[in-house]
mmCIF file of all heavy atoms in Angstrom:
data_model
loop_
_atom_site.group_PDB
_atom_site.id
_atom_site.type_symbol
_atom_site.label_atom_id
_atom_site.label_comp_id
_atom_site.label_asym_id
_atom_site.label_seq_id
_atom_site.Cartn_x
_atom_site.Cartn_y
_atom_site.Cartn_z
ATOM 1 N N ASN N 164 148.367 92.557 215.052
ATOM 2 C CA ASN N 164 147.737 93.149 213.860
ATOM 3 C C ASN N 164 148.834 93.690 212.942
ATOM 4 O O ASN N 164 150.013 93.701 213.309
ATOM 5 C CB ASN N 164 146.721 94.249 214.242
ATOM 6 C CG ASN N 164 147.328 95.334 215.095
ATOM 7 O OD1 ASN N 164 148.198 96.072 214.652
ATOM 8 N ND2 ASN N 164 146.883 95.422 216.345
ATOM 9 N N GLY N 165 148.438 94.155 211.774
ATOM 10 C CA GLY N 165 149.416 94.643 210.799
ATOM 11 C C GLY N 165 150.133 95.905 211.267
ATOM 12 O O GLY N 165 151.305 96.120 210.943
ATOM 13 N N THR N 166 149.427 96.728 212.011
ATOM 14 C CA THR N 166 150.030 97.961 212.514
ATOM 15 C C THR N 166 151.106 97.653 213.556
ATOM 16 O O THR N 166 152.181 98.270 213.552
ATOM 17 C CB THR N 166 148.932 98.867 213.104
ATOM 18 O OG1 THR N 166 147.947 99.077 212.093
ATOM 19 C CG2 THR N 166 149.482 100.183 213.585
ATOM 20 N N LEU N 169 154.161 96.623 211.717
ATOM 21 C CA LEU N 169 154.923 97.773 211.225
ATOM 22 C C LEU N 169 155.719 98.424 212.354
ATOM 23 O O LEU N 169 156.890 98.780 212.184
ATOM 24 C CB LEU N 169 153.969 98.801 210.604
ATOM 25 C CG LEU N 169 153.445 98.464 209.204
ATOM 26 C CD1 LEU N 169 152.180 99.264 208.883
ATOM 27 C CD2 LEU N 169 154.520 98.726 208.153
ATOM 28 N N THR N 190 148.366 104.904 200.711
ATOM 29 C CA THR N 190 148.403 103.718 201.561
ATOM 30 C C THR N 190 147.545 103.980 202.779
ATOM 31 O O THR N 190 147.083 105.094 203.000
ATOM 32 C CB THR N 190 149.840 103.359 201.988
ATOM 33 O OG1 THR N 190 149.821 102.103 202.695
ATOM 34 C CG2 THR N 190 150.444 104.419 202.889
ATOM 35 N N PHE N 191 147.349 102.917 203.567
ATOM 36 C CA PHE N 191 146.697 103.082 204.856
ATOM 37 C C PHE N 191 147.674 103.819 205.779
ATOM 38 O O PHE N 191 148.892 103.584 205.721
ATOM 39 C CB PHE N 191 146.344 101.703 205.420
ATOM 40 C CG PHE N 191 145.566 101.767 206.690
ATOM 41 C CD1 PHE N 191 144.364 102.438 206.748
ATOM 42 C CD2 PHE N 191 146.048 101.163 207.841
ATOM 43 C CE1 PHE N 191 143.640 102.502 207.929
ATOM 44 C CE2 PHE N 191 145.332 101.222 209.032
ATOM 45 C CZ PHE N 191 144.134 101.896 209.066
ATOM 46 N N ALA N 193 148.752 103.591 208.609
ATOM 47 C CA ALA N 193 149.687 102.849 209.465
ATOM 48 C C ALA N 193 151.064 102.682 208.827
ATOM 49 O O ALA N 193 152.072 102.634 209.540
ATOM 50 C CB ALA N 193 149.106 101.476 209.810
ATOM 51 N N SER N 194 151.119 102.598 207.483
ATOM 52 C CA SER N 194 152.413 102.440 206.807
ATOM 53 C C SER N 194 153.346 103.602 207.147
ATOM 54 O O SER N 194 154.564 103.438 207.182
ATOM 55 C CB SER N 194 152.252 102.401 205.286
ATOM 56 O OG SER N 194 151.229 101.555 204.885
ATOM 57 N N VAL N 240 154.711 99.956 199.353
ATOM 58 C CA VAL N 240 153.464 99.229 199.616
ATOM 59 C C VAL N 240 153.021 98.532 198.330
ATOM 60 O O VAL N 240 152.946 99.172 197.280
ATOM 61 C CB VAL N 240 152.362 100.210 200.091
ATOM 62 C CG1 VAL N 240 151.051 99.474 200.351
ATOM 63 C CG2 VAL N 240 152.818 100.964 201.344
ATOM 64 N N ASP N 266 155.492 96.735 202.794
ATOM 65 C CA ASP N 266 154.131 96.587 203.328
ATOM 66 C C ASP N 266 153.356 95.745 202.311
ATOM 67 O O ASP N 266 152.897 96.248 201.286
ATOM 68 C CB ASP N 266 153.478 97.953 203.547
ATOM 69 C CG ASP N 266 152.084 97.838 204.170
ATOM 70 O OD1 ASP N 266 151.455 96.763 204.015
ATOM 71 O OD2 ASP N 266 151.614 98.810 204.790
ATOM 72 N N CYS N 268 150.621 93.941 202.917
ATOM 73 C CA CYS N 268 149.284 93.624 203.444
ATOM 74 C C CYS N 268 148.298 93.248 202.339
ATOM 75 O O CYS N 268 147.385 92.467 202.569
ATOM 76 C CB CYS N 268 148.720 94.819 204.203
ATOM 77 S SG CYS N 268 149.431 94.996 205.836
ATOM 78 N N HIS N 269 148.482 93.833 201.148
ATOM 79 C CA HIS N 269 147.535 93.578 200.060
ATOM 80 C C HIS N 269 147.957 92.421 199.170
ATOM 81 O O HIS N 269 147.258 92.147 198.198
ATOM 82 C CB HIS N 269 147.418 94.831 199.177
ATOM 83 C CG HIS N 269 146.852 96.020 199.877
ATOM 84 N ND1 HIS N 269 146.569 97.200 199.238
ATOM 85 C CD2 HIS N 269 146.494 96.223 201.175
ATOM 86 C CE1 HIS N 269 146.073 98.074 200.099
ATOM 87 N NE2 HIS N 269 146.024 97.516 201.282
ATOM 88 N N ILE N 295 155.583 92.952 205.923
ATOM 89 C CA ILE N 295 154.479 92.785 206.880
ATOM 90 C C ILE N 295 153.175 92.462 206.157
ATOM 91 O O ILE N 295 152.964 92.823 204.999
ATOM 92 C CB ILE N 295 154.299 94.020 207.792
ATOM 93 C CG1 ILE N 295 153.746 95.212 206.990
ATOM 94 C CG2 ILE N 295 155.592 94.441 208.465
ATOM 95 C CD1 ILE N 295 152.371 95.602 207.412
ATOM 96 N N SER N 297 148.697 91.732 207.074
ATOM 97 C CA SER N 297 147.591 91.928 208.017
ATOM 98 C C SER N 297 146.560 90.835 207.786
ATOM 99 O O SER N 297 146.359 90.392 206.656
ATOM 100 C CB SER N 297 146.941 93.292 207.777
ATOM 101 O OG SER N 297 145.663 93.352 208.390
ATOM 102 N N PHE N 298 145.894 90.442 208.864
ATOM 103 C CA PHE N 298 144.824 89.441 208.745
ATOM 104 C C PHE N 298 143.478 90.019 209.165
ATOM 105 O O PHE N 298 142.611 89.339 209.702
ATOM 106 C CB PHE N 298 145.181 88.183 209.560
ATOM 107 C CG PHE N 298 146.539 87.625 209.199
ATOM 108 C CD1 PHE N 298 147.519 87.433 210.163
ATOM 109 C CD2 PHE N 298 146.832 87.309 207.877
ATOM 110 C CE1 PHE N 298 148.772 86.942 209.822
ATOM 111 C CE2 PHE N 298 148.087 86.823 207.525
ATOM 112 C CZ PHE N 298 149.057 86.635 208.502
ATOM 113 N N HIS N 299 143.328 91.325 208.921
ATOM 114 C CA HIS N 299 142.032 91.985 209.059
ATOM 115 C C HIS N 299 141.047 91.286 208.096
ATOM 116 O O HIS N 299 141.458 90.825 207.028
ATOM 117 C CB HIS N 299 142.206 93.470 208.706
ATOM 118 C CG HIS N 299 140.945 94.264 208.821
ATOM 119 N ND1 HIS N 299 139.984 94.276 207.832
ATOM 120 C CD2 HIS N 299 140.482 95.059 209.800
ATOM 121 C CE1 HIS N 299 138.985 95.049 208.210
ATOM 122 N NE2 HIS N 299 139.264 95.542 209.407
ATOM 123 N N LYS N 302 141.292 91.427 204.293
ATOM 124 C CA LYS N 302 142.522 90.992 203.619
ATOM 125 C C LYS N 302 142.369 89.532 203.146
ATOM 126 O O LYS N 302 141.372 88.878 203.429
ATOM 127 C CB LYS N 302 143.724 91.149 204.556
ATOM 128 C CG LYS N 302 143.826 92.538 205.217
ATOM 129 C CD LYS N 302 144.287 93.638 204.264
ATOM 130 C CE LYS N 302 144.006 95.036 204.785
ATOM 131 N NZ LYS N 302 144.916 95.560 205.766
ATOM 132 N N GLU N 308 141.632 90.054 213.971
ATOM 133 C CA GLU N 308 142.776 90.959 214.062
ATOM 134 C C GLU N 308 143.999 90.069 214.018
ATOM 135 O O GLU N 308 144.015 88.999 214.630
ATOM 136 C CB GLU N 308 142.776 91.760 215.373
ATOM 137 C CG GLU N 308 141.619 92.727 215.546
ATOM 138 C CD GLU N 308 141.725 94.001 214.708
ATOM 139 O OE1 GLU N 308 142.755 94.193 214.031
ATOM 140 O OE2 GLU N 308 140.766 94.786 214.729
ATOM 141 N N GLY N 309 145.022 90.506 213.322
ATOM 142 C CA GLY N 309 146.248 89.709 213.282
ATOM 143 C C GLY N 309 147.212 90.274 212.273
ATOM 144 O O GLY N 309 146.823 91.052 211.391
ATOM 145 N N HIS N 409 144.050 92.284 196.122
ATOM 146 C CA HIS N 409 143.320 92.616 197.353
ATOM 147 C C HIS N 409 142.166 93.543 196.988
ATOM 148 O O HIS N 409 141.052 93.393 197.484
ATOM 149 C CB HIS N 409 144.263 93.287 198.353
ATOM 150 C CG HIS N 409 143.553 94.002 199.460
ATOM 151 N ND1 HIS N 409 142.643 93.367 200.272
ATOM 152 C CD2 HIS N 409 143.601 95.290 199.870
ATOM 153 C CE1 HIS N 409 142.167 94.256 201.155
ATOM 154 N NE2 HIS N 409 142.718 95.410 200.925
ATOM 155 N N TYR N 436 143.308 105.276 198.545
ATOM 156 C CA TYR N 436 143.107 105.774 199.888
ATOM 157 C C TYR N 436 143.009 107.298 199.832
ATOM 158 O O TYR N 436 143.434 107.907 198.862
ATOM 159 C CB TYR N 436 144.311 105.427 200.768
ATOM 160 C CG TYR N 436 144.418 103.980 201.152
ATOM 161 C CD1 TYR N 436 145.220 103.114 200.440
ATOM 162 C CD2 TYR N 436 143.681 103.488 202.231
ATOM 163 C CE1 TYR N 436 145.317 101.773 200.794
ATOM 164 C CE2 TYR N 436 143.791 102.154 202.595
ATOM 165 C CZ TYR N 436 144.590 101.299 201.877
ATOM 166 O OH TYR N 436 144.681 99.982 202.222
HETATM 167 C C1 PLP P 737 145.401 96.694 206.631
HETATM 168 C C2 PLP P 737 146.658 97.444 206.371
HETATM 169 C C3 PLP P 737 147.559 97.784 207.391
HETATM 170 C C4 PLP P 737 147.270 97.603 208.849
HETATM 171 O O1 PLP P 737 146.846 96.366 209.216
HETATM 172 P P1 PLP P 737 145.948 96.174 210.539
HETATM 173 O O2 PLP P 737 145.975 94.712 210.736
HETATM 174 O O3 PLP P 737 144.584 96.705 210.225
HETATM 175 O O4 PLP P 737 146.598 96.926 211.641
HETATM 176 C C5 PLP P 737 148.747 98.391 207.026
HETATM 177 N N1 PLP P 737 149.042 98.657 205.748
HETATM 178 C C6 PLP P 737 148.190 98.378 204.744
HETATM 179 C C7 PLP P 737 148.577 98.706 203.346
HETATM 180 C C8 PLP P 737 146.967 97.772 205.032
HETATM 181 O O5 PLP P 737 146.108 97.516 204.045
#
Side-chain angles (χ1 to χ4, degrees):
N164 56 66
T166 304
L169 283 161
T190 186
F191 185 57
S194 313
V240 179
D266 183 336
C268 283
H269 296 185
I295 70 114
S297 163
F298 306 124
H299 181 279
K302 310 286 163 79
E308 295 285 356
H409 164 56
Y436 287 96

